[in-house]
Amino acid sequence: MAHHFRAALEAIELDVLQMDGVDGEFQNVMKPGVGGRVRKRMEQRFAGRDCADWLERLHAAGVPSGPVGT
């Protein structure tokens, strides 16, 4: 899972692993108080493009992905 998460971050050009509390460790994303901040940053990034564009980028990077919701 960490491999795909890192590949997805690279594909969407977002480095949340360097956020305070994550400190470069994927497992820290699961810590209370950290995961919500990471999710918010990712949601903001995904809001910047349409679904088709993100899926194209993620699939090109070999990240298993598909649309969820609207």
Side-chain angles (χ1 to χ4, degrees):
M1 183 170 175
H3 167 74
H4 288 126
F5 185 71
R6 290 177 195 274
L9 292 177
E10 198 170 306
I12 68 171
E13 300 174 349
L14 182 66
D15 191 4
V16 296
L17 293 176
Q18 299 309 312
M19 290 176 62
D20 288 339
V22 181
D23 305 318
E25 294 294 329
F26 170 73
Q27 293 81 2
N28 289 344
V29 172
M30 309 303 176
K31 287 184 174 180
V34 176
R37 290 186 296 115
V38 169
R39 184 174 54 252
K40 185 174 182 174
R41 288 273 306 275
M42 292 182 76
E43 287 173 354
Q44 290 170 341
R45 181 69 174 135
F46 279 114
R49 296 180 183 267
D50 67 20
C51 181
D53 184 39
W54 287 126
L55 289 175
E56 182 180 325
R57 289 169 177 257
L58 293 166
H59 290 166
V63 177
S65 53
V68 177
T70 57

